[in-house]
């Protein structure tokens, strides 16, 4: 199938700051990615885009409401439309042949299904596939599909860039522009599923989604939760709850909120068993140190009666020593005990993936195996995640997209003003 190609202006230097909201909702965020102005929880579905509502923004509940309240139609019509969009990849209302003419005309007048623009896509020799998707005239994000024995995992982005500044992550070097809308998150799934010829419930090419692309998903809570609900809905992509995984650098209050408002697998980017080291690698640790983070994970695991995955990126000479392995094993055992469940903690070892300009290195194979062995001897499940798609820069931590960085620009602007003696005026 041909995917529409977009023209997107990726010449970023000295370009004016893009009206980020142009492609979706007028969202303003602070540096941790929290929405400070703009949409409230349930408004996303109700924001007209160019006068029309983008149906990609709506999960089943919002679409039913839209059909009943705005279109004056029965709920089951919303269900038909969801199937057209997410099962058959039809976005033109004229082609939705089981809807009456009058309804199709009404939809045409009030709604649209706005497909993300594929700037380019690349296939790796190992079957991994990466898309660069244009989100607005200045920003693009990356989505990666990773096929493996009996499963196909899509790695989905949640923000344009990331504000958390983890020291070893390529996305961080790009700075942060804005949150993605629900439509822009589910649009990534749509593009990949369509490319793969995925038919939910029948021809499953896409079996898992991990929110492990660009961005911190819990900093874009409402949009991510709504998009994950479409992923798990039978009328959407029909994925089992446990096959949708949200990965966080450790936004503690949001982990508790996630437990209440969604039902997905949780992964936590740990990377260090000591606070001092973790704060260096993941600055968010200063705000939410290890004991608070682990307590939140215990509450999540207990509430959901499920395991939590702890990601540990192995960096040479930084966090790959026997003392780190032993302390990590202790932390994980404490976790199992607190949850009162065997193997409640699963460790995922990710050998560091290098990118231009980084000061970190991947440990050699022997060091990785030695680290893993210490964990196994302590009774922990700790697979080493094989690097996939590194020939197309699609491996963990290598996603960059094209980010028009507003936060950094603002910070630089402030610095310049301060240098000119204007103080904190900016
Ligand atoms: N912000 C979320 C989602 C990103 S997930 C989070 O931090 O969990 C991406 C995963 O890859 C995280 O575990 C991240 O820490 C890890 N990662 C980042 N950069 C990496 C790199 N260069 N090599 C290997 N893993 C990396």
């Amino acid at each position: 199938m041909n995917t529409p190609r977009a023209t997107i202006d990726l010449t970023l230097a000295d370009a004016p700051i893009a009206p980020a909201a142009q492609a979706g909702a007028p969202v303003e965020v602070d540096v941790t990615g929290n929405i400070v102005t703009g949409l409230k929880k349930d408004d996303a579905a109700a924001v007209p885009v160019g006068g029309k509502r983008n149906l990609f923004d709506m999960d089943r509940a919002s679409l039913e409401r839209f059909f009943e309240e705005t279109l004056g139609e029965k709920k089951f019509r919303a269900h038909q439309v969801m199937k057209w969009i997410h099962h058959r990849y039809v976005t033109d209302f004229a082609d939705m042949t089981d809807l009456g003419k009058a309804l199709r005309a009404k939809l045409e007048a009030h709604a649209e299904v706005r497909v993300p623009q594929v700037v380019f896509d690349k296939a790796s020799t190992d079957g991994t596939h990466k898309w660069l998707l244009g989100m607005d005239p200045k920003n693009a994000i990356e989505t990666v599909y990773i096929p493996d024995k009996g499963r196909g995992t899509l790695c989905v982005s949640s923000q344009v860039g990331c504000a958390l500044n983890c020291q070893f992550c390529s996305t961080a070097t790009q700075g942060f522009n804005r949150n993605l809308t629900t439509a822009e998150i589910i649009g990534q799934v749509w593009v990949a599923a369509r490319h793969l010829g995925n038919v939910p419930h029948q021809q499953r090419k896409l079996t898992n989604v991990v929110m492990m692309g660009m961005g911190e998903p819990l900093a874009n809570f409402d949009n991510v939760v709504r998009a994950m609900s479409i992923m798990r809905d039978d009328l959407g992509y029909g994925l089992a709850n446990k096959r949708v995984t949200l990965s966080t650098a450790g936004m503690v209050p949001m982990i508790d909120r996630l437990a209440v408002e969604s039902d997905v697998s949780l992964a936590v980017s740990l990377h260090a068993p000591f606070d001092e080291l973790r704060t260096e690698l993941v600055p968010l640790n200063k705000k939410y140190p290890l004991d608070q983070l682990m307590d939140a994970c215990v509450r999540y695991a207990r509430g959901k009666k499920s395991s939590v995955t702890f990601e540990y990126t192995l960096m040479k000479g930084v966090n790959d020593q026997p003392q780190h392995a032993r302390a990590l094993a202790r932390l994980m055992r404490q976790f199992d005990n607190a949850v009162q469940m065997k193997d409640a903690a699963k460790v995922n070892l990710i050998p560091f993936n290098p990118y231009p300009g980084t000061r970190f290195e991947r440990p050699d194979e022997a060091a990785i195996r030695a680290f893993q062995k210490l964990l196994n001897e302590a009774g922990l499940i700790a697979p080493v995640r094989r690097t996939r798609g590194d020939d197309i820069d699609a491996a963990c931590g290598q996603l960059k997209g094209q980010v028009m960085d507003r936060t950094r620009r603002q910070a630089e602007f402030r610095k310049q003003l301060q240098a000119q003696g204007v103080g904190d005026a900016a």
Side-chain angles (χ1 to χ4, degrees):
M1 250 184 275
N2 284 335
T3 315
R5 310 237 150 205
T7 47
I8 179 168
D9 175 9
L10 292 176
T11 48
L12 300 178
D14 295 327
I17 290 175
Q22 208 167 301
V27 184
E28 283 294 325
V29 289
D30 66 18
V31 288
T32 60
N34 290 319
I35 297 179
V36 290
T37 61
L39 300 181
K40 291 198 192 71
K41 190 168 166 48
D42 261 334
D43 288 355
V47 172
V49 177
K52 293 184 176 186
R53 293 172 193 184
N54 186 357
L55 300 191
F56 268 146
D57 263 323
M58 303 191 206
D59 60 7
R60 185 196 292 230
S62 353
L63 198 64
E64 285 175 350
R65 232 180 17 252
F66 177 67
F67 268 69
E68 287 182 328
E69 291 169 15
T70 306
L71 303 179
E73 295 278 345
K74 296 253 161 47
K75 271 185 192 173
F76 81 95
R77 294 289 179 200
H79 301 172
Q80 285 174 297
V81 168
M82 276 189 85
K83 282 196 207 165
W84 279 112
I85 298 173
H86 303 294
H87 292 187
R88 303 183 197 125
Y89 312 107
V90 170
T91 57
D92 193 339
F93 299 126
D95 295 336
M96 300 185 179
T97 47
D98 57 1
L99 306 179
K101 255 198 172 151
L103 172 54
R104 280 187 258 165
K106 238 193 281 185
L107 279 166
E108 204 66 65
H110 294 281
E112 65 177 349
V113 185
R114 194 194 284 207
V115 174
Q117 302 179 320
V118 177
V119 182
F120 68 73
D121 61 319
K122 272 192 197 169
S124 159
T125 49
D126 68 9
T128 302
H129 202 106
K130 178 166 95 166
W131 289 265
L132 181 71
L133 301 175
M135 296 285 123
D136 60 54
K138 295 290 173 196
N139 292 297
I141 56 92
E142 294 185 320
T143 307
V144 179
Y145 176 71
I146 308 143
D148 210 344
K149 279 175 240 105
R151 66 154 110 176
T153 303
L154 192 69
C155 182
V156 169
S157 295
S158 56
Q159 297 181 310
V160 181
C162 188
L164 295 186
N165 207 20
C166 297
Q167 292 299 294
F168 51 90
C169 181
S170 161
T171 303
T173 65
Q174 296 270 292
F176 173 74
N177 185 283
R178 67 177 173 91
N179 282 331
L180 293 180
T181 63
T182 304
E184 290 167 332
I185 298 168
I186 210 64
Q188 299 170 58
V189 182
W190 187 92
V191 166
R194 174 175 179 267
H195 170 92
L196 297 164
N198 182 65
V199 185
H201 315 299
Q202 292 172 36
Q203 172 96 352
R204 287 178 193 262
K205 296 283 174 64
L206 204 164
T207 61
N208 296 60
V209 169
V210 291
M211 297 302 305
M212 294 186 187
M214 297 167 64
E216 166 51 47
L218 288 185
N220 184 13
F221 189 89
D222 293 334
N223 290 321
V224 166
V225 163
R226 195 184 290 110
M228 293 192 307
S229 118
I230 302 171
M231 294 170 201
R232 291 153 47 227
D233 196 318
D234 279 342
L235 298 172
Y237 297 86
L239 301 179
N241 290 350
K242 66 176 192 317
R243 288 176 178 268
V244 175
T245 301
L246 182 144
S247 177
T248 178
M251 295 189 72
V252 165
M254 292 301 176
I255 293 175
D256 288 322
R257 213 179 135 195
L258 184 71
V260 176
E261 297 192 28
S262 192
D263 194 1
V264 293
S265 295
L266 179 68
V268 171
S269 293
L270 203 62
H271 310 311
F274 308 122
D275 270 319
E276 201 180 331
L277 178 60
R278 189 165 192 272
T279 299
E280 237 173 71
L281 298 171
V282 182
L284 185 67
N285 190 68
K286 203 169 173 188
K287 194 162 178 191
Y288 304 116
L290 278 169
D291 57 347
Q292 288 183 32
L293 176 58
M294 295 309 293
D295 283 352
C297 293
V298 168
R299 291 192 291 276
Y300 195 91
R302 279 186 158 178
K304 300 286 183 199
K305 297 187 175 37
S306 77
S307 59
V308 170
T309 299
F310 294 93
E311 295 153 282
Y312 196 98
T313 297
L314 283 163
M315 289 165 260
K316 189 175 184 169
V318 174
N319 64 354
D320 65 342
Q321 301 299 303
Q323 48 153 335
H324 300 117
R326 285 190 204 103
L328 177 62
R330 260 197 312 277
L331 201 60
M332 298 293 99
R333 262 201 311 265
Q334 279 166 11
F335 177 79
D336 281 0
N337 290 340
V339 179
Q340 293 177 319
M341 189 201 296
K342 193 176 169 315
D343 299 334
K346 295 203 158 69
V347 178
N348 246 250
L349 297 174
I350 316 170
F352 175 71
N353 292 308
Y355 54 89
T358 181
R359 62 189 153 100
F360 296 101
E361 288 173 65
R362 179 186 296 195
D364 52 38
E365 203 48 38
I368 295 170
R369 292 293 156 207
F371 194 94
Q372 184 187 34
K373 192 159 170 263
L374 283 175
L375 295 182
N376 291 157
E377 282 168 5
L380 282 170
I381 303 171
V384 175
R385 215 192 274 168
R386 273 191 304 136
T387 296
R388 302 288 305 270
D390 55 349
D391 56 333
I392 55 168
D393 289 341
C396 288
Q398 290 185 328
L399 303 188
K400 289 194 352 173
Q402 294 286 343
V403 180
M404 179 80 185
D405 179 6
R406 290 199 296 173
T407 47
R408 189 181 305 156
R409 279 178 170 244
Q410 283 164 9
E412 276 166 9
F413 182 48
R414 262 190 213 122
K415 253 192 254 159
Q416 277 171 18
L417 286 180
Q418 271 165 10
Q420 291 162 13
V422 183
D424 264 345

